[in-house]
Amino acid sequence: MAMRADLNRDHLVPPTGIRNLGILAHVDAGKTTVTERILYLTGAVHRRGEVHEGTTVTDFDPLERDRGITIFAAAVSCLWDGHRINLIDTPGHVDFSDEVERSLRVLDGAVAVFDAVAGVEPQSESVWRQADRYGVPRIAFVNKMDRAGADLDTAAASIRERLRVTPLVVQLPIGREDGFTGVVDLLRMRSLVWDAGRDTVTEGPVPEALGDEARRRRRLLEETVAELHPTALEEFCARPEISAPTLTAALRDLTLRGEAVVVLCGSAYRNRGVEPLLDAVVAYLPAPPDVPPVRAAWDGPEQERPEQERPADPAAPFAALVFKVHAAPTGRLTYLRVYSGTIRRGDVVLDAGARRTERIGRILRVQADRHTETDRATAGDIVAVAGVKAARAGATLCAPGAPLVLEPPVTASPVVSVA
Ligand code: GDP
């Protein structure tokens, strides 16, 4: 058992260190495999003891400890390089159901997974459009680079044509199809090669045979970024050498504005390419404070809308959205996206729409192979709580002294607004 003081350790991740992430994909593109690899890699770090969260492993539901089941939880939390990545499950079939609306609403960024042979398929196109409507910043992962016929350039071209967005390819594959062994990182001009059989990746210089091609692609990337980003252009002109951090910052801006999409590649199945994908999630996708603050629901005239916003600040009044309710064998689990403030076990909160109070029981994080209990959740975070008796998916839970109903997401279905 961990010491009680240890319960707080996982809160060392501030709102700027959180990434609430969805993985969007066409059926069969590899969403499950990518998710499993992410959990494996981040879980492996934990097992090697490099990261010690110090949280108590709760005896929750032995069945759900099985990773195969846990990855279907509404949200799974993992740590990568000091950042907390909350993976939010997005239903596979993208329609306009409330469930899809809610899952898209609670994530701040997404990884769109494509098949390196098929490129953009019709279903990926509809997922992409849906994410456009919610203004969700995205990066792209071209998976299955090991397959016969896999080609990153063709996949990037199909992103440009079918999704009408500029692909910013930041890697050059090393080897083709079955011989795909690694990538050149075009920002740092370093190679990453995965060791067959072992889960290790070795960083090194750009292979000589690929030097010219890597430099050509790096220049192309710089030119495309400079065209899309005039401020970056000024900065670029002022320097003879464009540093990796400068280019990363420009790419991040473009991603947050939805003006282009950073493209990486790999083979999740062969465990290649997932570490740089996680690095890219941290580098390019927004943290909760980077997205506009949530607002209170308002169905009156826009010009009379009260200025009721909630910033992603742990010290602001508490407000959270219930995005999923799960009947676990051990009791009702309510998944919350906390938008502002802090909640602790035992707190009484208001379900503002239903005008009913609820008491927060245990606060849990669902991790790769277990649940851990934590003593509080703060702005930007995603957790599951026990003890909430009646609040439904879509409800706002808030501090009783600062009631509000959060603005419903952009939606095609009728919006029921509760004053
Ligand atoms: P999902 O439907 O998007 O969740 O896709 P899955 O992750 O279930 O993958 C669909 C199929 O593609 C499975 O048979 C996987 O084993 C396979 N697959 C996933 N990633 C790769 C990859 O990188 N290379 C190859 N060759 N197959 C892959």
Side-chain angles (χ1 to χ4, degrees):
M1 282 286 283
M3 302 286 289
R4 169 132 191 106
D6 281 342
L7 276 175
N8 290 328
R9 290 186 68 151
D10 70 343
H11 297 294
L12 293 177
V13 179
T16 49
I18 297 175
R19 298 291 181 276
N20 292 319
L21 177 73
I23 297 182
L24 312 174
H26 185 278
V27 167
D28 246 26
K31 176 173 146 176
T32 312
T33 315
V34 170
T35 307
E36 274 175 354
R37 294 303 169 193
I38 290 176
L39 296 181
Y40 174 72
L41 281 173
T42 56
V45 169
H46 185 95
R47 276 198 298 279
R48 282 206 302 270
E50 288 173 10
V51 175
H52 176 63
E53 276 190 278
T55 41
T56 318
V57 177
T58 50
D59 256 335
F60 191 68
D61 173 6
L63 244 191
E64 292 204 8
R65 285 198 189 178
D66 178 81
R67 171 178 296 161
I69 290 174
T70 309
I71 64 163
F72 296 110
V76 186
S77 184
C78 55
L79 287 171
W80 181 254
D81 194 23
H83 291 73
R84 169 167 300 121
I85 297 176
N86 293 317
L87 280 173
I88 296 127
D89 184 44
T90 48
H93 291 284
V94 172
D95 50 23
F96 293 98
S97 73
D98 289 349
E99 197 180 350
V100 176
E101 304 268 338
R102 277 193 298 271
S103 70
L104 283 172
R105 177 175 179 181
V106 298
L107 50 86
D108 299 320
V111 172
V113 179
F114 301 101
D115 178 323
V117 180
V120 177
E121 295 167 88
Q123 200 201 359
S124 355
E125 216 176 313
S126 56
V127 184
W128 190 268
R129 299 278 163 242
Q130 185 100 341
D132 272 345
R133 284 166 18 98
Y134 288 85
V136 176
R138 272 146 283 171
I139 58 178
F141 183 68
V142 175
N143 187 34
K144 305 198 184 182
M145 286 297 291
D146 59 308
R147 275 186 69 193
D151 187 73
L152 181 59
D153 291 336
T154 314
S158 94
I159 289 174
R160 184 189 295 280
E161 281 152 29
R162 306 276 310 253
L163 305 176
R164 290 185 288 283
V165 62
T166 306
L168 299 168
V169 180
V170 296
Q171 295 173 335
L172 170 65
I174 302 176
R176 287 187 66 83
E177 302 177 345
D178 210 27
F180 168 75
T181 53
V183 293
V184 173
D185 172 347
L186 295 174
L187 269 76
R188 296 188 302 131
M189 291 304 265
R190 301 282 288 166
S191 70
L192 294 171
V193 176
W194 281 271
D195 199 342
R198 281 191 292 149
D199 294 326
T200 52
V201 51
T202 309
E203 189 181 317
V206 177
E208 223 176 283
L210 291 177
D212 287 346
E213 184 60 11
R215 279 186 291 276
R216 189 183 73 76
R217 286 177 183 249
R218 164 68 186 240
R219 266 197 310 279
L220 190 70
L221 178 65
E222 289 174 5
E223 284 163 16
T224 315
V225 170
E227 263 169 42
L228 291 168
H229 200 315
T231 350
L233 179 68
E234 280 162 30
E235 204 167 329
F236 287 179
C237 291
R239 298 165 188 223
E241 277 270 296
I242 300 162
S243 70
T246 305
L247 201 48
T248 303
L251 291 173
R252 183 168 199 270
D253 267 9
L254 290 169
T255 305
L256 298 190
R257 294 197 231 144
E259 288 175 14
V261 62
V262 167
V263 180
L264 298 99
C265 68
S267 164
Y269 184 71
R270 302 267 184 109
N271 219 5
R272 290 173 189 168
V274 182
E275 298 95 333
L277 176 64
L278 285 164
D279 289 341
V281 163
V282 167
Y284 304 121
L285 293 180
D290 297 323
V291 300
V294 286
R295 303 199 292 184
W298 176 249
D299 53 10
E302 186 57 34
Q303 62 272 25
E304 290 169 28
R305 174 187 279 279
E307 282 296 310
Q308 207 180 0
E309 284 186 353
R310 288 291 166 83
D313 176 359
F318 172 70
L321 183 83
V322 174
F323 66 96
K324 178 118 182 176
V325 176
H326 175 58
T330 41
R332 200 170 185 264
L333 261 194
T334 304
Y335 285 85
L336 296 183
R337 160 76 197 245
V338 180
Y339 283 98
S340 64
T342 301
I343 40 160
R344 292 179 178 77
R345 183 174 182 169
D347 278 358
V348 172
V349 296
L350 179 71
D351 176 344
R355 297 166 196 244
R356 191 174 40 222
T357 55
E358 296 270 13
R359 185 179 291 276
I360 301 293
R362 291 190 301 155
I363 304 176
L364 304 165
R365 274 183 208 296
V366 183
Q367 282 155 320
D369 50 5
R370 66 203 183 284
H371 291 73
T372 60
E373 187 171 348
T374 174
D375 75 336
R376 66 190 144 141
T378 57
D381 214 348
I382 286 184
V383 286
V385 298
V388 171
K389 292 201 170 66
R392 297 200 190 153
T396 303
L397 297 182
C398 57
L404 94 165
V405 174
L406 290 172
E407 187 175 54
V410 190
T411 177
S413 52
V415 171
V416 183
S417 169
V418 191

